Amino acid sequence: MSKILVLPGDGIGNEIMAEAAKLFTAIEQVFGFQCEFERGLIGGIAVDETGTPLPDQTVELAKQADAVLLGAVGGPKWDNLERHLRPERGLLGMRSALGLFANLRPAILFPQLAAASTLKEEIVAGLDILIIRELTGGIYFGEPRGERKENGKRIGFNTMVYGEDEIVRILEAGFEAARKRGGRLCSVDKANVLDVSGLWREVAIEMGEKNPDVELSHMYVDNAAMQLVRAPKQFDVMVTGNLFGDILSDCAAMLTGSIGMLPSASLNEAGAGMYEPVHGSAPDIAGTDQANPLATLLSMAMMFRHSLSRADIGDAIETAVSSVLDQGLRTGDIFTDGTQKVGTVQMGDAVVAALQGAG
Ligand code: NAD
């Protein structure tokens, strides 16, 4: 039986995770798919209850699980703690404890929400791209790093470094994802300036020769940023390093208009993963039944596809979400005139009903 670790975290985490729990129950009824659940602490609540944002027990449970479903962490209550106690440290700790090197961020714009984007409808309607970001290397972890003084002036420095194996590993994830989608992979680098990107591109070209079934292209990161807002539908899968991916994935996310709709997956070499909505803990609306649960439910869809080998259940969740949008139901963040405003619970119930109706 698949083991899932549920980590609600802080703020709206509990509310969105309650909707996920209802959907798991419905999936069991409709598909007969049973999971074993554990619950753990992470983030601010873990600081309050155990004195650390990532208790050892949570790491142990995560290592035993096939997948981790996370709500969100953080909030004003913990903003002034020392850096090592901050809730976000819990997330970084999980990434390194589980070796989550590949971050998958789809930017999908449901056609029903095309008006919510800041871009013209014809540019974004039907958008469906996937950004794969390397998550455990590059300039965020490279050594040496720090601050020193030279001639009485301060200098800050970091090192952008990638080993061949790290590049191969993340590009393999890119080729595999492209193969399951539209068959096109764009590798993003800055090979015209950076030596580390020069190696990245060399390795990508070598791998492209070994994966002729995928159409590989290369793009400089500055051009990629421009193309993402000019004509985003030209892309299928983009793969890039940690820093470039951080920026490009947020840019792509915003093409879709609402942070409440965006799922993500972070995978390790064994195929286990951590799944979480892209948004944070939204302390401004926590406890008011206003949070959009769809990013979390779509993260569950990714979990079924990538870690539980049940792409059919992933598809069913996405279809259920789409059908609820067709019914005109909207939480406040995606509400537009002429649609029906609902709360977190009602939105979750509607997705469950749509899934049951289809089953
Ligand atoms: P946020 O994503 O929590 O909120 C930004 C805005 O979007 C807020 O107005 C919020 O109400 C709204 N929003 C977010 N999720 C929503 C949802 N599901 N439905 C409807 N509206 C939603 O970002 P922030 O305000 O910058 O950060 C709040 C806290 O979350 C901070 O402590 C931050 O460190 C943390 N954070 C955590 C994560 C994470 O857990 N992965 C990510 C980003 C921020």
Side-chain angles (χ1 to χ4, degrees):
M1 197 186 297
S2 301
K3 280 190 185 165
I4 296 173
L5 175 64
V6 175
L7 302 174
D10 308 313
I12 59 172
N14 271 313
E15 294 158 70
I16 52 181
M17 222 42 102
E19 301 315 306
K22 287 196 292 204
L23 190 57
F24 274 121
T25 306
I27 286 165
E28 190 179 333
Q29 287 161 359
V30 174
F31 293 90
F33 187 90
Q34 292 185 330
C35 304
E36 207 177 284
F37 294 97
E38 290 281 358
R39 243 178 123 85
L41 294 172
I42 193 168
I45 186 160
V47 173
D48 288 351
E49 294 194 13
T50 69
T52 162
L54 185 60
D56 291 344
Q57 198 198 2
T58 300
V59 174
E60 275 318 302
L61 288 171
K63 284 184 176 164
Q64 290 158 20
D66 297 297
V68 178
L69 186 65
L70 177 94
V73 298
K77 183 177 175 193
W78 304 281
D79 274 354
N80 298 320
L81 293 178
E82 281 174 57
R83 202 175 280 263
H84 72 283
L85 289 176
R86 299 277 279 273
E88 297 76 10
R89 282 280 147 159
L91 284 184
L92 295 177
M94 283 288 275
R95 284 178 191 168
S96 65
L98 298 181
L100 302 172
F101 73 95
N103 183 227
L104 275 57
R105 296 255 302 247
I108 296 171
L109 184 59
F110 285 90
Q112 302 93 324
L113 301 180
S117 173
T118 49
L119 269 70
K120 291 192 192 104
E121 266 189 61
E122 67 263 27
I123 305 282
V124 288
L127 179 75
D128 180 1
I129 62 181
L130 174 66
I131 301 201
I132 301 185
R133 165 189 172 197
E134 201 288 328
L135 204 56
T136 51
I139 195 164
Y140 289 7
F141 295 91
E143 297 285 348
R145 61 195 296 174
E147 210 179 289
R148 64 168 190 268
K149 268 198 176 165
E150 248 174 50
N151 304 324
K153 298 277 183 202
R154 288 169 300 167
I155 297 176
F157 55 97
N158 288 88
T159 304
M160 195 169 194
V161 56
Y162 271 115
E164 190 173 352
D165 290 348
E166 286 175 297
I167 303 172
V168 167
R169 185 170 73 163
I170 193 71
L171 279 159
E172 268 171 1
F175 280 107
E176 202 181 311
R179 204 168 277 125
K180 288 185 192 155
R181 292 173 40 106
R184 291 180 298 118
L185 178 65
C186 178
S187 168
V188 177
D189 61 41
K190 189 69 185 169
N192 50 342
V193 177
L194 299 173
D195 296 302
V196 57
S197 277
L199 176 67
W200 180 288
R201 187 169 291 210
E202 246 175 74
V203 172
I205 290 170
E206 288 161 17
M207 290 183 67
E209 285 160 8
K210 292 183 199 144
N211 291 276
D213 56 327
V214 172
E215 187 191 312
L216 174 69
S217 61
H218 308 271
M219 198 176 273
Y220 298 136
V221 62
D222 43 347
N223 187 25
M226 272 199 306
Q227 296 301 329
L228 264 179
V229 281
R230 192 187 70 85
K233 285 190 267 183
Q234 70 183 282
F235 297 110
D236 178 18
V237 181
M238 299 172 95
V239 62
T240 189
N242 206 341
L243 173 64
F244 301 155
D246 192 359
I247 300 165
L248 291 182
S249 60
D250 265 20
C251 174
M254 276 306 101
L255 299 173
T256 70
S258 172
I259 196 156
M261 295 295 301
L262 298 165
S264 79
S266 303
L267 307 177
N268 66 17
E269 288 190 47
M274 183 160 84
Y275 297 82
E276 55 181 314
V278 165
H279 60 72
S281 58
D284 53 334
I285 57 167
T288 63
D289 192 41
Q290 289 184 77
N292 185 346
L294 296 181
T296 306
L297 305 185
L298 292 168
S299 299
M300 274 176 67
M302 293 188 82
M303 171 190 286
F304 278 100
R305 190 167 292 127
H306 294 286
S307 289
L308 305 180
S309 305
R310 288 298 300 261
D312 58 325
I313 300 181
D315 291 346
I317 295 174
E318 285 164 4
T319 305
V321 168
S322 183
S323 116
V324 165
L325 295 174
D326 278 340
Q327 293 162 31
L329 304 188
R330 305 281 190 273
T331 42
D333 58 312
I334 51 174
F335 175 77
T336 45
D337 284 344
T339 59
Q340 184 190 344
K341 197 185 265 190
V342 295
T344 312
V345 174
Q346 205 180 335
M347 185 59 110
D349 286 345
V351 175
V352 165
L355 186 106
Q356 285 167 334

